Amino acid sequence: TITQNNAVWVGNTYTMKAGHQVITDAVGRIYDSGGPQGMYGSNERNSVLISPPCADSLHLILNYVSLYLDDNLTIYNGTSTSAPILYSGHSAFQRHIWASSGKALVVFSSTFQYFGDGFELVYVNNFDSGLPKAHFSLENTITGINIPFVLHTPMYRDNRN
């Protein structure tokens, strides 16, 4: 029997572009502008807002960060640079981060002199309550007749300690 862990990726993969992007997927992978195989460029200032609907929190994994010393990756716990900083630096490997707001702003900047390998960030949204937050209501009566119903929602359990 051959077992290969982490062999299937079910989520979108993004490469940072110039300017600002908004991502609403529940699961995703984000690379610097060079993508998984290339190097990022000089004079970049890019940002991505990770904002999946119904997320109580986000689990972010920095699989790697390999930037030139003057270049920087910053992750904020919210939608703006005034939110608390979760990570700021130029080097990391397999670092786990929790964004308790359910949203994370990722900002990358590079200097004019150098370019480097970049970074890979993977994220998954979490439903801390066990169920997603829904913005709707249901009535259990239709024209005076009681109709019982059950609403089934898939649950996600995280394994935080």
Side-chain angles (χ1 to χ4, degrees), residues 19-145:
H20 182 71
Q21 297 169 266
V22 177
I23 298 172
T24 58
D25 296 334
V27 177
R29 181 182 311 247
I30 301 170
Y31 290 99
D32 59 273
S33 63
Q37 304 295 324
M39 300 177 89
Y40 65 85
S42 60
N43 287 327
E44 292 190 16
R45 174 100 174 134
N46 308 328
S47 64
V48 170
L49 175 62
I50 304 169
S51 182
C54 303
D56 289 319
S57 65
L58 292 172
H59 180 196
L60 301 106
I61 304 164
L62 285 169
N63 282 332
Y64 68 87
V65 178
S66 179
L67 310 177
Y68 178 71
L69 293 176
D70 290 337
D71 300 342
N72 195 62
L73 178 69
T74 304
I75 302 172
Y76 298 89
N77 187 16
T79 60
S80 75
T81 56
S82 61
I85 294 174
L86 298 171
Y87 170 84
S88 184
H90 58 267
S91 179
F93 180 71
Q94 291 293 311
R95 182 160 182 180
H96 293 254
I97 300 168
W98 293 94
S100 60
S101 69
K103 301 185 182 335
L105 178 64
V106 180
V107 178
F108 170 72
S109 61
S110 65
T111 60
F112 66 94
Q113 296 178 349
Y114 299 97
F115 48 88
D117 292 333
F119 67 88
E120 178 189 45
L121 176 131
V122 174
Y123 73 90
V124 177
N125 75 353
N126 291 303
F127 306 112
D128 290 339
S129 64
L131 298 173
K133 297 177 202 171
H135 298 285
F136 66 88
S137 62
L138 297 172
E139 297 293 327
N140 67 352
T141 58
I142 298 176
T143 62
I145 302 170

Side-chain angles (χ1 to χ4, degrees), residues 131 150-154:
L131 298 173
V150 177
L151 180 63
H152 292 280
T153 306

